[in-house]
Amino acid sequence: MKVVVVGATGLIGSRTVARLRDHGVQVAEASRSAGVDVSTGEGLDQALRGAEIVVDVTDAPSREERVSTKFFIASTNNLLKAAAAAGVEHYVALSVVGADRVSSGYFRAKAAQESLARHAPVPYSLVRATAFFESVEATTLTGIRPDGVRVPPLVLRPVATDDVATAVAHTAVGLPRFGVLEVAGPEELRLVDAAAELLDVRGLPGPVIADARAHFFGAVLPERALLPTADARLGHHRFTDWLKSHRSSSQRGAADRDPHRSPSDAQAPSLRQES
């Protein structure tokens, strides 16, 4: 079994490659650095030669609807055309929870990608993930304003990238679903609470303000629009644990930078959950 992971050097791609190799799968990595450009199709025919399975974890250069839609239509068309020519037996694409019900922003771009997969001759599986922990972090930091941090009033099940990569890898080595698997985090969180915890860990000021006009992935969303279905596969990693690991890393970095700091000085107060 030969699996080609397209977007192999990215956040999910590198983890997916590792999970597949853990299972003894022969993996070929396709990325820009390896001379493969899905936007133009350059290098795809050679990269997919002899492949039985293609995993598409590429991402658009922007969450803006026009840019992301243009990217996914071009790249998915190129990839599926090359996959069909190579006799690929299973195409697996990473998508997002909400692609089937949110008709704006990045979600519309992902819906376009999903539609192309459904209508291609290559057997397919779609893995829809909820927001990554890193997406919660990015939304929080880009929401910083003079009066506080403004984030949309969403309820989410944020998920660890390791859990997403595991789900993608398991899907790739299984039979094509001709449908969707959703993967989500183990806990429901209000984005305002998650943002407050993150600011506390980063030592940044608040307050966190729920702003119904704030965008998430280029769209204004109802509160529960991004929750997964009841049969979603739930990951094992919790957001608070991810934050703790971030705090530990930042403390180690700070201690390394200041040779006069004692170990006790590096201990920070416990995480605060704001409401």
Side-chain angles (χ1 to χ4, degrees):
M1 179 186 296
K2 178 182 177 182
V3 180
V4 176
V5 177
V6 186
T9 59
L11 186 66
I12 298 297
S14 57
R15 289 165 170 79
T16 300
V17 168
R19 298 294 87 74
L20 288 167
R21 286 178 174 158
D22 287 345
H23 290 286
V25 176
Q26 179 189 357
V27 182
E29 301 181 35
S31 62
R32 283 181 180 272
S33 60
V36 178
D37 187 339
V38 290
S39 296
T40 64
E42 181 183 356
L44 276 177
D45 289 340
Q46 182 176 354
L48 269 55
R49 191 171 298 150
E52 297 171 61
I53 301 164
V54 171
V55 175
D56 180 3
V57 287
T58 58
D59 201 3
S62 168
R63 294 288 187 260
E64 195 272 324
E65 183 177 325
R66 183 184 58 81
V67 175
S68 55
T69 300
K70 180 180 178 182
F71 171 83
F72 283 119
I73 288 176
S75 63
T76 307
N77 269 324
N78 289 333
L79 189 48
L80 287 169
K81 181 180 178 181
V88 168
E89 299 172 6
H90 192 185
Y91 168 76
V92 180
L94 177 61
S95 187
V96 292
V97 168
D100 57 333
R101 54 184 182 268
V102 178
S103 58
S104 60
Y106 184 77
F107 303 94
R108 178 174 284 182
K110 276 298 186 180
Q113 181 187 32
E114 291 187 7
S115 179
L116 290 170
R118 287 192 183 92
H119 293 93
V122 182
Y124 74 94
S125 299
L126 302 171
V127 179
R128 289 186 190 142
T130 55
F132 304 158
F133 296 159
E134 290 83 357
S135 298
V136 172
E137 180 178 42
T139 299
T140 301
L141 297 180
T142 57
I144 295 175
R145 302 289 185 272
D147 61 340
V149 179
R150 294 184 172 271
V151 298
L154 296 175
V155 178
L156 303 172
R157 276 188 174 268
V159 66
T161 51
D162 282 338
D163 287 331
V164 175
T166 297
V168 171
H170 284 173
T171 300
V173 298
L175 294 174
R177 286 179 166 268
F178 294 95
V180 175
L181 169 70
E182 291 192 342
V183 58
E187 56 190 347
E188 260 188 33
L189 298 173
R190 292 196 305 155
L191 181 54
V192 289
D193 296 334
E197 280 196 89
L198 191 141
L199 290 174
D200 187 46
V201 168
R202 296 287 293 267
L204 297 172
V208 178
I209 302 163
D211 184 351
R213 297 169 298 177
H215 285 65
F216 191 85
F217 280 27
V220 175
L221 303 168
E223 183 181 75
R224 304 180 70 83
L226 300 185
L227 288 176
T229 56
D231 59 350
R233 179 178 297 178
L234 301 183
H236 302 290
H237 298 85
R238 295 181 179 275
F239 183 70
T240 297
D241 295 331
W242 180 77
L243 284 176
K244 287 178 180 177
S245 68
H246 265 45
R247 182 176 66 178
S248 298
S249 297
S250 62
Q251 287 172 352
R252 287 195 298 271
D256 290 342
R257 288 190 297 271
D258 186 352
H260 302 295
R261 202 175 198 183
S262 68
S264 61
D265 291 334
Q267 296 176 359
S270 60
L271 291 177
R272 181 178 71 251
Q273 177 108 4
E274 297 182 9
S275 59

